[in-house]
Structure formats: C-alpha cells, structure tokens
Amino acid sequence: MNKTSAFVIYSIVFFAFFDLFAQLPVMSTFATSVGATPFLAGVVIAIYSLSNTFGNILSGVWTDKAGPFHILLAGLVLSSLSLLTYHVVETPTTLLVVRVVHGFVAGLIVPAAFTLSANLTAANRQGKKVALTGSFVGLAAILGPAFSGIMASRTSVPVVFSFVAFYGLAVALLALVVLRQLRLTEKRIDTEEHPVSDALQRDVLKAYIGAFLLMFSQGALAYLLPLYVQALGYDSRLSGTLLSTFGIVAVLVFVLPTNRVFDRIEPTKLAALGITILGVSQLLIGTSDSAGALYSVLAFYGVGFAILFPAINTLLIKATNRANRGKSYGYFYAFFSLGTVVGSAFLGWLTIPLTNKFTVTGIVLLGSGVAFFAFAQMRKRLLSPKSE
C-alpha cells in the first residue's frame, strides 16, 4: 500500500470515529431540545448503537461479495447525507428515525475500511499497520467531543453535524479518485485461500471476545468515571481531561517505535497483556482518591487499550483471508458495539456501591486476561511438536 492510499484509508477511519465521538457531548441535550423525555433521550443514544451493529454485520457480508471499495464509498456518502438530515428534526419521533438510519449507514464504513487495509498490507506488517490506524481512532476520540462541544455552544447541533458531513463527502471524493486505482491490486493480494482450521477459528473467536472486552471496559469507564469524579467532589471537566489523557497515551503508543512489538510478539499474548492492564486499571480507579492518582491510572489504562486494539485486529487478520475477512470484520465491530452497551447497562443494573462496580469490572477483565494467557500457552504447546 502506497502512502497516498494509506492516508485516504486513515482519513476514512478518522471520519467514521470522529462522527461517532462528536455525538457524545451533544446528543442527549439535542434530544431533550426537540421534546424527548429523559428516558427517550437514552433510547435515542442506544438505538444508534443497535442499528450500527446491524450495519457492521451487513457491511462485512457485502464486503466479501462486492469488495470493500464499493461498500466504503456507499457508507461514506450515505453517512454524510444522513448527518445533514438532522436539520429536519423537530420531534422525538423524527429524531429516532434519523438515528436508526444514521447508525446503520455509518456501520458500513469501518469493517470495509479495515478489510481493505488488511488486504493491501504485507503479512509481516499487519500489527504495526493496525497500530497506526488505531492512532486515528484515538485522535478522533480526543478531537471529536471537543469539536462538537465547542461548536454546538456557538452554533447548533445540526450545524456541527453539517461540518462533519462535508468532511465525509470530501473523503468520499478522495476515496473515489485514489482507491479506485487499487481495486485490481487488492484483488491480486491474498488470492490463495487458507484452510479454515480449528486453530484459526479459535483465533477469530478470541478476536471477537477481545473486541467485546475492550468496549465492555470502555462502556464501564464512560458510565462510572463521571459519577466517581463527581463523588470525589471534582467538577465534570476532570472527567473530560482524564479521558483525553488516556486517549493521548494510547495514540503515543500507537505511533512511537513501540508499535514494532505488535509484529514481534504473538498477538494472543499481547491481547492477554492488554486485557490484564485494563483490569488492573479498573481496580485502581476505584481506589484512587486524588486527581493526580486518577491521571496516572488513566495513562496506564491508555497503554492497555493501545496494546489490546492492535492485538485483536492482528489475530483476526491472520486467521482470515480475502474471501471471509469482510464478514469477520463485520461481526468483530458488532461485538464492539455490543460490549459498549453491555458494559454500561450491566453496571447500571447492579445495586452495589460505585467503587465495587469498578471492582466487578476489574475482576471480569483480569479473569479474561488469565484465560487469554492460558490460550497462548496452549497454542504454544500444540504448535511445538510440529516445529521439531
């Protein structure tokens, strides 16, 4: 993959996640401004994730049939147009319809983008490439909420989404010009179909579980951290800067020479390490009672996120081929969405003290990290006789 096409794919990934993160600070207040009750405002937020899950799955299926280029282009254009429809929203019912459509068409983009990137990247550089792609996810997580929060306070939410839409249309035009040239190249790569062994199927399953756990942790953090910060007596600005700290550290791990480890260490071991760090971080958050301690823990959490994200992507890429990678990525990102919903909903359902909810999250993640380490050792034992 040349630098120009890589830049376009990074821009597409950035748009997809910038669109998502830009919604976070403004959607609940926008829903109430058009007459939604607090409960309905929650439904407005949740229904996006639900329809996004279906978009992810169908994107994967269609990507394997039609190729990632067409699905990417359709996702970019339709998602941008759906962002413009927020201008016609005047009632909660209209907003719900717009959210369903927006969530579905936005879900078409990411599986196709990661599939195309994987198909065009040499096998021995997949880990580093995914880490670089992940840095644009991190940048979107840092810039998206800040952009929408500031712009919405000066203009309106539909205007904010219009800016995002125009960026998406520009990226679609760029993709049409640049990536169209890669379709023939992409078809020549990975033409040898690998047999689907039990070991590869287990790696795909581990990637799905890792995606769920990553976003389970994120959903828990998004739900619990603002409440915990408030309980400690700090204002809401600390929650934002803490999340920015985690994002900045993650991006640094992605782009610095540390990203070389993602191609040198077995991805199951890296996934185990990343999950374990997330689990320890969740436990430490519940015992931190100062801003300084929380900043340190969130920085540590960022390291875990930055290790786990490339590891599970690499697991999935190495266990799939061009014929089934799109469908696999569709389910992979569906597990992302599911993990976010379960993380916040499950912990909201538990009637235990706030610090104990961090403990429950930490135990779930640590137990999963131990299981991943066990899988890594099991795989090593299974492969060792063949190498002798």
Side-chain angles (χ1 to χ4, degrees):
M1 185 179 356
N2 60 45
K3 291 182 179 180
T4 304
S5 58
F7 171 77
V8 174
I9 292 175
Y10 293 150
S11 298
I12 292 170
V13 171
F14 180 80
F15 165 74
F17 285 94
F18 187 82
D19 175 15
L20 171 64
F21 288 116
Q23 302 169 33
L24 298 182
V26 299
M27 189 48 60
S28 58
T29 53
F30 180 63
T32 55
S33 73
V34 297
T37 63
F39 170 75
L40 197 55
V43 174
V44 163
I45 294 170
I47 204 166
Y48 176 91
S49 296
L50 183 62
S51 61
N52 192 259
T53 301
F54 288 106
N56 289 152
I57 293 171
L58 288 176
S59 171
V61 174
W62 292 338
T63 292
D64 286 338
K65 292 182 178 180
F69 173 77
H70 296 95
I71 307 306
L72 261 182
L73 207 58
L76 285 167
V77 172
L78 292 174
S79 185
S80 299
L81 293 177
S82 69
L83 283 162
L84 295 175
T85 61
Y86 283 90
H87 280 281
V88 304
V89 172
E90 295 181 349
T91 66
T93 303
T94 309
L95 180 57
L96 282 171
V97 173
V98 169
R99 293 292 285 170
V100 170
V101 174
H102 182 195
F104 178 79
V105 295
L108 301 176
I109 300 173
V110 175
F114 274 84
T115 299
L116 181 60
S117 178
N119 288 352
L120 295 170
T121 303
N124 63 348
R125 298 184 65 240
Q126 294 287 4
K128 182 178 179 179
K129 182 62 68 175
V130 170
L132 291 173
T133 308
S135 68
F136 286 85
V137 177
L139 284 174
I142 296 167
L143 299 177
F147 170 81
S148 63
I150 294 170
M151 285 294 296
S153 66
R154 297 179 178 178
T155 56
S156 67
V157 172
V159 170
V160 172
F161 289 162
S162 294
F163 278 104
V164 181
F166 292 140
Y167 170 63
L169 291 172
V171 172
L173 181 61
L174 193 61
L176 179 63
V177 173
V178 175
L179 298 185
R180 183 174 55 181
Q181 307 297 325
L182 294 175
R183 282 184 294 171
L184 294 176
T185 305
E186 190 260 344
K187 286 179 181 179
R188 290 196 297 267
I189 295 176
D190 200 19
T191 52
E192 293 185 7
E193 302 300 336
H194 311 295
V196 182
S197 66
D198 290 342
L200 292 179
Q201 287 180 329
R202 284 194 294 270
D203 283 349
V204 171
L205 181 60
K206 284 185 283 186
Y208 292 163
I209 294 172
F212 176 85
L213 291 170
L214 177 64
M215 297 314 289
F216 173 82
S217 181
Q218 284 294 100
L221 194 67
Y223 169 63
L224 295 176
L225 186 63
L227 296 175
Y228 187 65
V229 166
Q230 186 180 49
L232 291 176
Y234 298 102
D235 61 38
S236 59
R237 285 179 297 179
L238 180 61
S239 298
T241 54
L242 285 170
L243 292 173
S244 295
T245 299
F246 127 68
I248 291 168
V249 170
V251 169
L252 288 174
V253 175
F254 285 142
V255 301
L256 291 174
T258 48
N259 61 26
R260 296 171 185 168
V261 303
F262 301 121
D263 290 319
R264 296 178 180 177
I265 300 177
E266 206 275 313
T268 302
K269 291 181 180 178
L270 284 174
L273 178 60
I275 294 169
T276 301
I277 291 175
L278 294 184
V280 171
S281 298
Q282 292 280 1
L283 292 174
L284 291 175
I285 292 172
T287 62
S288 301
D289 56 5
S290 69
L294 286 170
Y295 277 117
S296 298
V297 175
L298 265 295
F300 186 54
Y301 182 95
V303 174
F305 182 96
I307 291 173
L308 180 55
F309 181 80
I312 54 180
N313 272 276
T314 305
L315 266 174
L316 186 70
I317 292 168
K318 290 185 175 181
T320 57
N321 53 53
R322 188 177 176 275
N324 63 7
R325 187 168 290 139
K327 182 179 179 181
S328 298
Y329 256 121
Y331 284 110
F332 181 80
Y333 280 100
F335 273 91
F336 257 62
S337 300
L338 185 62
T340 305
V341 175
V342 172
S344 55
F346 168 69
L347 292 167
W349 171 76
L350 289 179
T351 55
I352 57 176
L354 193 58
T355 53
N356 290 353
K357 292 184 179 184
F358 282 113
T359 303
V360 169
T361 307
I363 289 173
V364 170
L365 291 168
L366 282 175
S368 302
V370 170
F372 265 73
F373 272 119
F375 282 131
Q377 292 302 113
M378 187 184 305
R379 181 183 179 88
K380 184 178 179 181
R381 285 197 298 270
L382 288 173
L383 293 176
S384 58
K386 297 180 181 180
S387 61
E388 291 177 357

